[in-house]
Amino acid sequence: MILSEMNLVEKILQGDPGSTAKLISKIEDEPGTDFEEIRILEAKGTSAYTVGITGSSGVGKSSLIARLIEQYRKNNKKVAVLAIDPSSPFTGGAILGDRIRMQMHSLDEGVFIRSMSTRGHLGGLSQAAANTIKVMAAWGADTVIVETVGVGQDEVEIIKVADTILVVLSPGSGDDIQMMKAGILEVGDIFVINKADRPEAENLKGTLESVNPGRKDEGWQPCVIETIALKGSGIEELYEKIEEHRKYTRKKEDDK
Amino acid sequence: MKKIRVLIAKLGLDGHDRGAKVVARALRDSGMEVIYTGIRQTPLQIVNTAIQEDIDCLGLSILSGAHLQLFPKIIDLLEKRSKKPLILAGGIIPSEDTPALESMGIRKVFGPGTTTREIIDFIRNELG
Amino acid sequence: MKIKDKKKHWEDNVLKKVLDKHPERKKDFKNLSKIRIENLYTPADTEGFDYLKDSGFPGDFPFTRGVQPTMYRGRLWTMRQYAGLGDAEESNKRYKYLLNQGQTGLSVAFDLPTQIGYDSGHQLAAGEVGKVGVAIDSLADMELLFNEVPLDKVSTSMTINSPCAILLAMYIAVAEKQDVDISRLAGTTQNDILKEYIARGTYIFPPLPSLRLTTDIIEYTSKYLPRWNPISISGYHIREAGATAVQELAFTLADGLAYVDAVLERNLNPDDFVPRFSFFFAVHNNFFEEVAKFRAARRLWARLMKERFYVQNPKSMMLRFHTQTGGSTLTAQQPDNNIVRVALQAFAAVLGGTQSLHTNSRDEALALPSEDSVKIALRTQQIIAYESGVADTVDPLAGSYYVESLTDQMEKEAMAYIKKIDNLGGMLAAIEKEVIQKEIQNSAYILQQKIENKEETVVGVNRFQDEEAKKSHKLGVDPEIEERQKQRLAELKDTRDNELVEKTLDNIKKTIHNQENLMPAILEAVKAYATIGEICGIMRQELGEYRESVNI
């Protein structure tokens, strides 16, 4: 028993995607279980920087992630993506289609993408996600991007564990109020207005800035970045901002 | 809670995805998790996805006639990576090609007229 | 008024007695477009109908009864069978054969790598070369394809969309080499990019730049190829993807409106180019729904052109269309049943007033058709044309209370969709928001469920099945084509002037930046023997590539 566990863990630490995937499946099947493998991995001390990306469907999160992956890879960093989509409350099934927009990266050995559904876990999703992030870190991810559709309480809970949270909006999608209701605006460190070439972008920016949302933190002023993921505009700026926040949070950790 | 994870893959350049989407939806409605990666997937993309997503079942959809060239590539790659999902195929696949496909590792070819119920039952039976 | 009352009386007395003992087969009769079908139609159902305003005469606004005054009494519809052979040389032989047989209309199907702008040697082309049509990598292949085919004497229909400008440029280049006056070139290019995002999937670039390309072609042909139909606005693929008849009608016309808008933005007079727009529809099994659809299409397009764009030229209001019997209605089980299906569908298309028609073969559910089956498909049209008598009068179903009522309803429902699309910002916006795709997916799913729970019958599949051995006949595609094409490509790159090619490719880049019409620059590149892959490569770089997202 111990030997096979070690083999799985060893393979994951060597960057084997198959083993990584298998352990994630185990976690998904039993989110509440305290797996030996997870404890071993935790003991190894690998960790990854997490970026949470949330927003309504259709704002372009997946396209944005695909662009960010390019940036991380340009900088020689391995990146993992955990794309979470809601399961049907009626059937328990799910269609996980986020990776369509990221499929150009499926041939890159330095990228690991995993789609996960909420499976009706009540609160269990957070644990499954947290453990999955650990496994991805062990696989070798420098950064783990967690993507959720910011509608349910569960999804908001998951995002809160990220080091940097991006809240993505897009003009004309009419979801601003909804997001405020769900408490999502309060968790953002960086606000992204995607599809910024749309006419209503300026309005949205104005609304956002007047609401002054974001995670309350004396040292970090949440900002608004405009992007056009399909064209690649604003991506470098966004990447820089994320890295800036990363440095900031690391500094805060060190200062503690 | 365990779920059956299925990858529905549109292989090759053919863009006819009506069937793939209908099947994906039916599988979802029967409680499975379906990863759909859109059109124009190459064998390597499909296999890498299959591995990262740790799928139980792979559904290949192709209507362009390139199945005899493309399916072996997938089977080969899966074998090399020791991944053995249940492999099903559908689309436009002439019946005389079925024996060849089944002998190379496609568990079943579902032709036109197949009901989604048949596919769901088949998957559940095979995967237990 | 009186008839309505009398009908009620009849229902309460005569009909009720029967229904009490023998109820009807269904509680509610609805067609797949969710239109309720009454037990019978009477003049009461066409009460508000104004013959002169709503039907009129063939060849006259609103063209409900047909776009030509004589229709089939003057000339039968064109029997244009779509066909594709993998190799340029094979296709060339076929064209010469057909020309010898007296056919003057050629139809070119291209393979998927060509349709998606990849050369035969590209990684993604593996296994696909020459499969669904002919592989064209460069002008050299096009020259083989039309070798000794006098382009001034034929009409060629090319089913090509995203790289349409390139294939059209090649066609023009071949004509120039034949010393043919290009203003005499006749034919059609499908060139309908919007439906690619909705239903067919052979897009390359994102919607906006693609629309610009489409418009470049329309503009260019209106100047230099006046006999050319630059666009075939297609509902066929939308229907085959799962749309209902009403959706097919609505989305096709909405696409048409988007194209007219696009060209208007170039400050062109719609009367200068809309007359050469043509349409392409499917025809499925519900006989009367299809006839009504075609009639409604003509009336609705005419009204939209008049009311939205104030066109003056009656030709701008005429919806001319080609029809193909619905491939998705063919069954693999009991394939001979398909002969009957196709016959009924063709019949509906003829009664609907189509300008040209393709009939599917019985064995096309699983493979390319055999020669025998293709012959039956053609004979089907000939029997309708010469033996059934329906071509002897124009729009014979006009006046049927059912057909007129249904025509009205379909026009209304389609118009409701078009208004919704207007509110979304037009068809382009609706596509980008994926609203159209979702509607189609829903319809497809609903139909599948109805078939599975037997609410809809498919004879031989979910009812009246046979335990029969599947007949096999697969038409093979030469496996050597891919290798031959790759070799040809290598030879081409050795023998052409590669510096010139680079220059022309660079010029394409500049033209894109200058936002000028791309046709001339593409024509230059094509003549220098740049390959489709090279030209599309530059364009992919500059215009971007489209990637779908999933919203099942």
Side-chain angles (χ1 to χ4, degrees):
Chain A
M1 195 52 189
I2 306 278
L3 193 66
S4 70
E5 281 161 15
M6 279 305 281
N7 278 340
L8 191 68
V9 166
E10 266 175 10
K11 284 188 195 155
I12 293 173
L13 289 167
Q14 277 165 14
D16 173 36
S19 308
T20 308
K22 281 203 183 76
L23 184 52
I24 295 174
S25 297
K26 278 173 95 167
I27 293 167
E28 275 200 277
D29 292 344
E30 297 171 56
T33 302
D34 192 10
F35 287 101
E36 185 68 30
E37 291 92 334
I38 301 290
R39 288 213 243 116
I40 297 172
L41 287 178
E42 272 177 329
K44 295 277 176 180
T46 49
S47 76
Y49 188 75
T50 50
V51 178
I53 300 187
T54 191
S56 309
S57 12
V59 297
K61 296 186 294 300
S62 303
S63 304
L64 216 53
I65 293 174
R67 289 288 184 184
L68 284 175
I69 294 175
E70 274 167 33
Q71 295 296 315
Y72 283 106
R73 297 303 292 141
K74 252 197 234 171
N75 288 283
N76 268 314
K77 295 186 178 160
K78 284 175 82 167
V79 58
V81 180
L82 176 57
I84 303 178
D85 266 316
S87 302
S88 157
F90 307 112
T91 68
I95 293 193
L96 308 171
D98 290 332
R99 67 181 297 155
I100 279 194
R101 291 273 167 115
M102 308 176 210
Q103 273 301 80
M104 70 290 274
H105 297 294
S106 59
L107 299 177
D108 184 347
E109 279 176 13
V111 179
F112 186 100
I113 301 169
R114 177 75 176 220
S115 314
M116 187 177 279
S117 80
T118 55
R119 285 195 189 179
H121 299 292
L122 288 165
L125 179 59
S126 299
Q127 183 153 5
N131 281 337
T132 299
I133 292 170
K134 289 180 190 148
V135 178
M136 287 173 164
W139 165 79
D142 163 273
T143 303
V144 174
I145 299 176
V146 182
E147 176 191 359
T148 69
V149 180
V151 282
Q153 262 321 106
D154 261 0
E155 287 92 330
V156 181
E157 287 311 303
I158 297 164
I159 280 297
K160 279 187 183 165
V161 309
D163 296 310
T164 301
I165 299 176
L166 266 55
V167 177
V168 186
L169 301 111
S170 91
S173 63
D175 47 38
D176 324 341
I177 314 288
Q178 250 189 311
M179 300 204 77
M180 290 185 212
K181 278 199 190 144
I184 289 166
L185 290 185
E186 279 126 51
V187 306
D189 298 307
I190 300 172
F191 291 84
V192 183
I193 294 179
N194 191 33
K195 306 188 192 182
D197 49 347
R198 296 252 169 103
E200 312 92 332
E202 277 313 298
N203 269 345
L204 182 56
K205 189 169 187 201
T207 309
L208 211 50
E209 282 168 345
S210 70
V211 170
N212 190 25
R215 203 148 50 166
K216 299 304 172 233
D217 184 325
E218 305 92 40
W220 179 264
Q221 176 56 28
C223 53
V224 180
I225 306 239
E226 288 173 286
T227 60
I228 308 171
L230 285 184
K231 293 206 174 114
S233 338
I235 303 296
E236 270 176 43
E237 203 194 332
L238 179 58
Y239 179 74
E240 297 299 320
K241 211 28 112 167
I242 296 172
E243 289 299 288
E244 208 186 301
H245 190 254
R246 177 178 186 157
K247 286 198 185 83
Y248 167 72
T249 52
R250 282 286 133 96
K251 189 165 183 301
K252 257 181 52 175
E253 275 297 304
D254 293 340
D255 287 348
K256 271 198 188 141
Chain B
M1 135 196 13
K2 196 169 185 344
K3 294 279 175 187
I4 295 178
R5 284 168 71 89
V6 183
L7 171 59
I8 299 285
K10 279 226 47 82
L11 189 49
L13 295 179
D14 139 58
H16 298 95
D17 54 8
R18 173 181 180 173
K21 286 178 171 172
V22 165
V23 170
R25 199 162 155 176
L27 294 182
R28 188 263 314 267
D29 287 350
S30 80
M32 301 185 197
E33 284 176 4
V34 182
I35 292 124
Y36 178 62
T37 44
I39 63 173
R40 295 191 210 166
Q41 297 299 291
T42 64
L44 191 52
Q45 280 178 314
I46 292 172
V47 172
N48 280 356
T49 304
I51 287 172
Q52 289 175 6
E53 301 287 352
D54 194 23
I55 55 163
D56 304 301
C57 173
L58 172 60
L60 297 168
S61 161
I62 188 164
L63 286 83
S64 65
H67 48 279
L68 287 177
Q69 283 94 334
L70 297 177
F71 284 13
K73 290 193 181 162
I74 294 182
I75 309 269
D76 193 48
L77 286 167
L78 285 171
E79 240 157 70
K80 286 206 177 87
R81 317 278 294 269
S82 312
K83 180 91 184 124
K84 292 191 180 77
L86 171 68
I87 309 179
L88 309 173
I92 301 284
I93 297 172
S95 36
E96 45 280 65
D97 293 345
T98 304
L101 295 178
E102 284 176 357
S103 69
M104 72 170 73
I106 310 292
R107 184 68 182 83
K108 193 155 166 71
V109 178
F110 288 102
T114 304
T115 62
T116 53
R117 189 75 252 163
E118 276 174 69
I119 300 173
I120 292 165
D121 289 344
F122 189 85
I123 295 175
R124 287 204 188 278
N125 272 337
E126 289 293 308
L127 296 178
Chain C
M1 229 8 87
K2 271 187 92 183
I3 294 179
K4 216 183 196 162
D5 297 330
K6 290 271 175 150
K7 183 179 176 191
K8 182 105 193 11
H9 180 88
W10 169 83
E11 277 174 344
D12 293 339
N13 296 288
V14 180
L15 183 62
K16 187 172 184 304
K17 285 207 195 92
V18 175
L19 289 181
D20 285 342
K21 285 203 225 123
H22 305 285
E24 287 179 328
R25 288 179 292 111
K26 295 182 197 172
K27 254 204 300 199
D28 214 10
F29 285 78
K30 278 205 176 125
N31 67 17
L32 288 171
S33 296
K34 298 192 206 156
I35 293 178
R36 182 140 180 262
I37 310 295
E38 302 297 332
N39 50 1
L40 84 163
Y41 288 79
T42 67
D45 294 290
T46 53
E47 229 178 290
F49 183 75
D50 178 338
Y51 177 80
L52 290 173
K53 188 167 135 287
D54 299 324
S55 258
F57 297 94
D60 223 5
F61 185 88
F63 305 101
T64 315
R65 304 200 66 179
V67 294
Q68 293 112 0
T70 55
M71 288 301 291
Y72 308 135
R73 283 171 65 104
R75 210 180 64 174
L76 292 170
W77 63 92
T78 305
M79 302 183 193
R80 191 191 295 270
Q81 299 290 83
Y82 182 72
L85 292 149
D87 187 81
E89 271 154 349
E90 279 305 302
S91 303
N92 180 257
K93 278 197 204 123
R94 173 64 66 91
Y95 291 159
K96 286 190 192 141
Y97 169 74
L98 290 169
L99 290 176
N100 277 334
Q101 298 294 310
Q103 188 171 319
T104 54
L106 303 179
S107 178
V108 188
F110 298 94
D111 71 1
L112 281 172
T114 305
Q115 291 188 52
I116 302 180
Y118 292 124
D119 289 337
S120 302
H122 193 277
Q123 184 214 357
L124 290 172
E128 311 265 13
V129 177
K131 286 277 166 61
V132 311
V134 67
I136 301 285
D137 289 322
S138 74
L139 179 57
D141 291 320
M142 204 67 162
E143 284 163 349
L144 278 171
L145 186 64
F146 290 106
N147 182 33
E148 288 172 6
V149 173
L151 294 188
D152 54 345
K153 300 215 168 59
V154 300
S155 152
T156 304
S157 168
M158 295 198 275
T159 302
I160 191 75
N161 296 280
S162 299
C164 182
I166 301 168
L167 277 307
L168 180 60
M170 288 182 184
Y171 193 80
I172 292 171
V174 172
E176 285 182 2
K177 286 205 177 184
Q178 287 182 358
D179 272 324
V180 164
D181 175 4
I182 67 165
S183 68
R184 293 183 48 79
L185 291 178
T188 306
T189 32
Q190 195 166 82
N191 191 25
D192 173 5
I193 193 62
L194 291 177
K195 64 104 167 50
E196 296 296 327
Y197 302 109
I198 303 172
R200 192 167 178 269
T202 62
Y203 44 73
I204 305 178
F205 322 108
L208 206 53
S210 300
L211 207 52
R212 248 179 28 216
L213 265 171
T214 306
T215 317
D216 279 355
I217 293 167
I218 294 173
E219 193 182 18
Y220 187 87
T221 54
S222 79
K223 272 200 209 115
Y224 302 109
L225 275 70
R227 298 177 65 201
W228 194 266
N229 293 319
I231 189 169
S232 176
I233 304 165
S234 306
Y236 178 83
H237 319 86
I238 296 174
R239 186 67 179 281
E240 291 292 289
T244 63
V246 163
Q247 288 170 339
E248 179 193 357
L249 177 56
F251 299 159
T252 309
L253 294 196
D255 278 348
L257 294 176
Y259 291 125
V260 177
D261 273 332
V263 192
L264 267 179
E265 282 194 13
R266 296 219 183 161
N267 291 318
L268 291 174
N269 181 359
D271 280 324
D272 286 338
F273 54 88
V274 179
R276 288 174 309 112
F277 280 13
S278 62
F279 289 79
F280 172 26
F281 290 109
V283 62
H284 280 210
N285 289 326
N286 190 316
F287 188 81
F288 290 107
E289 181 179 47
E290 294 297 334
V291 175
K293 178 188 84 186
F294 296 125
R295 302 175 87 247
R298 278 192 295 269
R299 189 199 291 164
L300 189 49
W301 180 251
R303 287 178 171 164
L304 286 168
M305 284 303 105
K306 192 167 194 207
E307 289 158 24
R308 284 192 187 205
F309 301 107
Y310 308 113
V311 295
Q312 303 295 313
N313 186 347
K315 291 212 170 87
S316 303
M317 301 181 247
M318 293 180 197
L319 182 136
R320 300 172 297 128
F321 64 99
H322 169 77
T323 308
Q324 178 169 335
T325 59
S328 62
T329 65
L330 299 175
T331 60
Q333 295 81 350
Q334 302 174 28
D336 285 345
N337 292 344
N338 294 324
I339 297 174
V340 183
R341 290 190 177 99
V342 169
L344 291 175
Q345 292 162 359
F347 200 51
V350 167
L351 287 174
T354 191
Q355 274 57 56
S356 65
L357 178 61
H358 165 102
T359 35
N360 288 334
S361 302
R362 65 183 157 175
D363 52 3
E364 283 196 78
L366 280 177
L368 295 174
S370 65
E371 267 190 28
D372 273 347
S373 301
V374 169
K375 195 155 66 166
I376 295 175
L378 184 58
R379 296 287 180 258
T380 303
Q381 293 199 46
Q382 290 161 340
I383 291 169
I384 294 174
Y386 298 107
E387 295 186 15
S388 76
V390 299
D392 294 349
T393 187
V394 176
D395 188 28
L397 287 179
S400 149
Y401 310 119
Y402 182 30
V403 170
E404 295 295 356
S405 171
L406 205 48
T407 304
D408 264 0
Q409 274 186 285
M410 292 192 78
E411 183 189 359
K412 279 200 183 73
E413 308 244 340
M415 195 57 214
Y417 265 115
I418 291 176
K419 286 221 171 81
K420 276 204 200 113
I421 292 168
D422 283 342
N423 288 336
L424 285 168
M427 198 54 167
L428 194 56
I431 292 174
E432 284 177 337
K433 292 185 177 136
E434 314 223 336
V435 170
I436 309 292
Q437 295 90 316
K438 213 161 189 188
E439 287 281 321
I440 296 173
Q441 278 161 40
N442 279 339
S443 299
Y445 196 64
I446 289 170
L447 178 56
Q448 184 61 25
Q449 289 182 307
K450 288 195 169 155
I451 292 174
E452 293 195 19
N453 64 31
K454 309 224 170 145
E455 209 179 306
E456 288 295 314
T457 301
V458 183
V459 174
V461 175
N462 68 359
R463 221 170 150 184
F464 312 116
Q465 295 109 321
D466 262 354
E467 281 305 322
E468 102 212 56
K470 296 229 169 97
K471 270 190 258 178
S472 35
H473 78 273
K474 188 174 95 168
L475 198 73
V477 174
D478 185 356
E480 299 300 302
I481 290 182
E482 193 167 327
E483 279 316 303
R484 276 209 301 274
Q485 282 300 117
K486 286 193 200 163
Q487 251 181 309
R488 278 204 193 126
L489 269 171
E491 278 162 23
L492 180 79
K493 293 189 179 170
D494 268 341
T495 51
R496 67 183 185 182
D497 180 352
N498 285 303
E499 250 186 68
L500 179 58
V501 170
E502 278 309 305
K503 259 199 221 139
T504 59
L505 292 177
D506 205 51
N507 190 27
I508 289 177
K509 201 170 170 184
K510 286 202 189 91
T511 310
I512 291 175
H513 286 185
N514 294 338
Q515 306 237 1
E516 287 161 359
N517 191 312
L518 271 165
M519 276 302 292
I522 290 178
L523 192 49
E524 285 310 302
V526 149
K527 286 188 199 170
Y529 293 95
T531 67
I532 277 197
E534 286 166 339
I535 299 174
C536 284
I538 291 282
M539 292 169 72
R540 282 181 142 101
Q541 239 178 271
E542 299 302 313
L543 304 175
E545 278 187 273
Y546 180 76
R547 213 153 254 116
E548 60 175 324
S549 69
V550 151
N551 225 330
I552 299 185

